[in-house]
Amino acid sequence: MKTITVMLAGGRGERMGGSMNKVLIPLSGKTVLRRSVEAFRGLTDEMIVVARQSDMDAIRREAESADRDFPLIFASGGFSRQQSVLNGLRAASAGPEDCLLIHDAARCLVSPAVIRRVLDAVKGCGTGVPSVPVTSTCKLRDENGYVLHTLDRNAMAEIQTPQGFRADLLKKAFRRAEKDGFEATDDAGLLEHAGTPVLLVEGDRRNIKLTSPEDLPLALMYLKEEEPVMRIGMGYDVHRWEAGRKLFLCGVEIPWERGLLGHSDADAPLHALMDAMLGGCALGDIGRHFPDTDPELEGVSSLLLLRKTNELIHQQGYSVCNADITIVAQRPKIAPYIPAMNRCVAETLGLPADRVNVKATTTEKLGFEGREEGLSAYAVCTLEKTRIQI
Ligand code: MG
């Protein structure tokens, strides 16, 4: 039995208050769509992503960048949800016994446990639909806003996705709906219409559908609980001494007979610090973000790059908790400049002064630093998850 997932990514963002497709909204460093695709890692053999033609390029880029172990197929959305699912099914190569999962890409917090429960139910009885108990009192109303009567919430279930069906049952339900001109708001509704029993399995309260802007902070709170609260990064950098260049260390100009050779201002301790920040967030290194082949960066102040690096890690949902930097050089004497360096780094990162520590050492004339061929710098920093970051 093969599992094929139809990922519905055709939603508009109207209720999100924008014109952008809501599945393209970034949520703590990754778009909603990418998170939804990655949720099925290890749980599906193939995925059909259904999107509107106008969004297709962006949707394709995002889905393809996801960390996954299954191939992707893309299909155009229809005028209704039902039509979109049908287009997805037509693009799938499902045999009658295969399992089809239909998922709303806006439910990017779906857990592997929920998907597994759905798959087990499909294996056992042909259908599986996740649900959670209804906790609010629900009333039926008339078109003037008057209550007709109160519903028994204990007999009700709130439905989520992915909804799972054996392919032959879902296809039969679609044929029946087409014949009767029947439209349902979910796929289980089509099976109900066709008289096929639908089994509910346990869903998850966190498996929310991102619909309005208020859902975003809630989703971020759930994500924050899953992701590490603290990360550590380290960085190392070396630059060669060169006569006639200005010397900048941690953003402070130091009067000295030589400077450091480099494409930017060659501020090695700041480069080490940026590498530590990027490393802690799994964002690679400064060479990737600020290549030394970029003519715009020639002679640029590394403080500017540090500010940009700080923005990058904020976008990733992290901020620097503390930073510890060691400068290794035989000469010049660095101690007199250390308070200014601490201040400069802390201010650039928007941190209190006591969160940054710069120190310096010689190597007792050993190695390239001791022979005064170059200067090296080490940096370690801790990063903490930012409270709410969109
Ligand atoms: Mg460097």
Side-chain angles (χ1 to χ4, degrees):
M1 188 183 92
K2 201 161 72 163
T3 300
I4 300 170
T5 303
V6 176
M7 180 68 71
L8 298 171
R12 287 163 210 269
E14 281 140 14
R15 274 182 287 180
M16 273 295 179
S19 56
M20 181 193 184
N21 185 336
K22 65 184 173 187
V23 304
L24 294 172
I25 292 174
L27 201 61
S28 190
K30 284 183 190 175
T31 58
V32 170
L33 175 63
R34 192 166 155 186
R35 288 186 180 278
S36 282
V37 173
E38 290 181 356
F40 286 80
R41 200 168 32 198
L43 295 165
T44 193
D45 296 296
E46 165 181 327
M47 184 178 281
I48 324 289
V49 180
V50 185
R52 277 179 296 156
Q53 207 49 49
S54 54
D55 289 334
M56 195 55 95
D57 287 348
I59 294 281
R60 188 183 284 267
R61 235 184 350 263
E62 270 311 304
E64 281 176 346
S65 71
D67 180 11
R68 64 197 154 82
D69 55 3
F70 46 83
L72 294 173
I73 296 170
F74 295 86
S76 287
F79 291 108
S80 64
R81 178 199 157 88
Q82 200 163 310
Q83 189 60 47
S84 293
V85 174
L86 197 57
N87 290 358
L89 294 180
R90 283 180 180 142
S93 53
E97 298 285 306
D98 287 340
C99 171
L100 289 166
L101 296 178
I102 320 291
H103 189 62
D104 288 326
R107 289 189 192 267
C108 65
L109 298 175
V110 63
S111 66
V114 169
I115 301 173
R116 267 192 214 105
R117 284 198 284 274
V118 171
L119 288 171
D120 287 346
V122 176
K123 255 178 227 154
C125 68
T127 60
V129 170
S131 72
V132 289
V134 172
T135 52
S136 305
T137 297
C138 294
K139 295 181 191 293
L140 212 60
R141 59 166 170 77
D142 67 15
E143 65 272 22
N144 299 317
Y146 286 98
V147 171
L148 291 170
H149 65 267
T150 302
L151 299 163
D152 176 9
R153 71 176 177 203
N154 293 321
M156 293 168 69
E158 192 183 320
I159 301 304
Q160 305 182 331
T161 69
Q163 300 193 354
F165 311 100
R166 218 172 59 213
D168 57 343
L169 297 177
L170 185 61
K171 284 180 180 169
K172 188 181 108 193
F174 262 101
R175 278 196 300 273
R176 177 69 189 271
E178 206 167 9
K179 195 169 134 237
D180 298 348
F182 177 75
E183 282 269 341
T185 53
D186 73 342
D187 309 291
L190 300 179
L191 275 86
E192 292 156 44
H193 179 75
T196 307
V198 174
L199 181 67
L200 297 180
V201 300
E202 187 191 341
D204 185 346
R205 288 236 164 264
R206 291 158 185 244
N207 184 16
I208 55 171
K209 185 174 181 181
L210 299 176
T211 309
S212 55
E214 304 86 78
D215 297 331
L216 295 176
L218 185 62
L220 285 162
M221 197 184 76
Y222 289 151
L223 282 172
K224 185 174 148 68
E225 286 169 14
E226 278 168 29
E227 287 173 11
V229 172
M230 189 63 93
R231 285 170 170 245
I232 296 175
M234 79 86 66
Y236 171 65
D237 195 28
V238 173
H239 282 266
R240 186 187 289 276
W241 288 117
E242 172 89 352
R245 271 181 69 98
K246 283 184 174 177
L247 175 60
F248 290 96
L249 295 174
C250 289
V252 175
E253 189 178 348
I254 295 175
W256 181 237
E257 62 203 46
R258 286 173 293 176
L260 295 168
L261 185 62
H263 183 66
S264 64
D265 62 1
D267 193 329
L270 287 191
H271 294 182
L273 174 60
M274 286 186 261
D275 266 349
M277 291 162 67
L278 293 169
C281 278
L283 285 175
D285 60 17
I286 51 171
R288 183 170 122 196
H289 298 276
F290 312 111
D292 62 9
T293 47
D294 185 345
E296 296 248 312
L297 298 179
E298 197 175 344
V300 77
S301 164
S302 295
L303 285 172
L304 194 87
L305 305 182
L306 180 62
R307 206 165 289 131
K308 285 191 174 171
T309 303
N310 208 27
E311 283 166 16
L312 283 172
I313 68 158
H314 282 162
Q315 282 163 18
Q316 207 68 9
Y318 282 90
S319 51
V320 173
C321 183
N322 80 302
D324 186 17
I325 302 169
T326 302
I327 300 168
V328 185
Q330 196 60 44
R331 286 193 306 159
K333 256 208 162 340
I334 288 165
Y337 304 99
I338 279 181
M341 290 182 189
N342 275 331
R343 245 189 339 266
C344 185
V345 174
E347 268 169 24
T348 307
L349 295 176
L351 292 176
D354 66 354
R355 304 272 202 98
V356 175
N357 186 79
V358 182
K359 56 197 184 302
T361 182
T362 70
T363 55
E364 305 269 334
K365 300 199 171 165
L366 295 169
F368 68 84
E369 299 99 330
R371 290 190 299 271
E372 297 190 37
E373 292 164 9
L375 171 149
S376 67
Y378 299 82
V380 175
C381 70
T382 55
L383 302 158
E384 60 180 345
K385 191 94 187 124
T386 319
R387 258 155 276 281
I388 294 286
Q389 184 73 44
I390 298 175

